[in-house]
Amino acid sequence: MLQPLVLGAACAAAALLLSCGLAGWRGPEAAPPTPRVFSKAELSRYTGGAGSPGLYLAVLGQVFDVGRGRKHYGPGGSYHFFTGRDASRAFVSGDFTEPGLVDDVSGLSPIEMLSLHEWLTFYKREYIFRGKLAGTYYDANGEPTQALIDAELVTEQGRKLKTESELENKVFPPCNSEWTSGRGGRVWCSTHSGGIERNWVGVPRKLYKAGSKNYRCVCVRTDGPASNQPESAHNRGDLDNPALREYPGCQSLSDSCVVVDE
């Protein structure tokens, strides 16, 4: 008597699957292909043309399938020159000639390397990772080379510089600026100059880097303690910072200055 009951239960389960639209369920989807190690010759075939096995590019030795962006990366597309190769340097140099479409990033600044890493993050997010490219950044077994380690160290320097710059911008936000042929140049401060929102306006000053003749226009607080001495009874804000210079001909506490030739 147990067998019919079991069979009936099985039929009931099947009917439930059908009623729920699950009869066509086939289990978990197949796992994506295992990432592989490409040679430069192999990758050069992945340019999306006739007979090409796909549409791939590499950034810092990581290979991505950009087929979903064919209108941009396919033959005739505005970024087609990136495909079938690792042209890491061109992502930040803007040199899209053959000599510039290379993977050599030696000599790029930390900030440029950080920008390149942001491109790498973009491809990881938007496209399919297919493997690694043997050569500059990975060996034939897909293991990192010293060149990749060096590139990552420079990128980390870029992160630190960016953090320092963001902190400096909070203390010394960039000025607003304009130039017209009739009136010349002008810089001024507001509660949102330089895209930095705050509850004070400040006055324009030239901020110099140590040992450099170059400067940038910043807005400086004029009251309260100095930023590097928050417990001080000082009440001139950051006006006494030794890296600051006033604009010639501008009133010391004016929030707007005409830029004159020096």
Side-chain angles (χ1 to χ4, degrees):
M1 296 298 293
L2 292 176
Q3 187 172 359
L5 290 174
V6 172
L7 181 59
C11 290
L16 180 61
L17 286 174
L18 287 170
S19 67
C20 294
L22 299 176
W25 183 70
R26 299 177 182 176
E29 292 185 6
T34 302
R36 55 180 283 197
V37 178
F38 294 81
S39 69
K40 290 186 177 181
E42 287 174 320
L43 184 60
S44 69
R45 298 174 54 227
Y46 286 77
T47 56
S52 172
L55 191 58
Y56 293 6
L57 59 74
V59 181
L60 287 175
Q62 296 191 41
V63 179
F64 299 93
D65 182 340
V66 293
R68 61 187 291 187
R70 175 169 289 275
K71 70 176 183 178
H72 302 296
Y73 295 98
S78 53
Y79 301 132
H80 180 61
F81 47 74
F82 280 124
T83 61
R85 67 174 98 199
D86 186 333
S88 292
R89 191 179 193 89
F91 281 96
V92 291
S93 72
D95 182 357
F96 304 135
T97 65
E98 280 301 313
L101 292 165
V102 294
D103 61 0
D104 177 17
V105 297
S106 59
L108 292 182
S109 72
I111 294 300
E112 288 173 324
M113 283 302 301
L114 181 58
S115 176
L116 177 57
H117 189 271
E118 290 169 351
W119 275 109
L120 178 59
T121 300
F122 165 78
Y123 282 102
K124 287 180 177 180
R125 183 180 68 246
E126 299 294 333
Y127 295 101
I128 303 171
F129 173 70
R130 291 301 191 192
K132 299 172 182 178
L133 178 62
T136 303
Y137 301 109
Y138 295 94
D139 63 21
N141 297 315
E143 295 299 319
T145 65
Q146 187 61 47
L148 181 60
I149 295 171
D150 293 342
E152 290 175 343
L153 288 173
V154 178
T155 301
E156 185 58 31
Q157 292 173 17
R159 290 192 184 96
K160 291 179 180 178
L161 289 173
K162 182 179 179 181
T163 298
E164 291 172 1
S165 177
E166 289 172 346
L167 291 174
E168 183 179 82
N169 279 347
K170 288 182 179 180
V171 176
F172 297 118
C175 304
N176 296 308
S177 62
E178 67 178 2
W179 185 91
T180 61
S181 58
R183 292 182 296 177
R186 181 172 76 95
V187 293
W188 74 99
C189 296
S190 64
T191 55
H192 55 271
S193 62
I196 307 295
E197 297 288 342
R198 55 193 187 276
N199 59 6
W200 52 273
V201 175
V203 296
R205 290 290 188 273
K206 299 177 181 180
L207 176 65
Y208 287 85
K209 290 289 186 182
S212 173
K213 294 182 179 180
N214 297 322
Y215 67 87
R216 66 185 184 93
C217 181
V218 299
C219 294
V220 182
R221 281 191 308 111
T222 60
D223 57 19
S227 298
N228 58 356
Q229 296 177 319
E231 304 301 323
S232 171
H234 178 94
N235 194 39
R236 282 176 51 80
D238 292 305
L239 286 173
D240 296 326
N241 188 300
L244 298 171
R245 298 288 184 274
E246 294 186 11
Y247 277 87
C250 186
Q251 292 184 0
S252 182
L253 296 181
S254 174
D255 62 11
S256 177
C257 295
V258 174
V259 178
V260 298
D261 293 333
E262 301 179 38

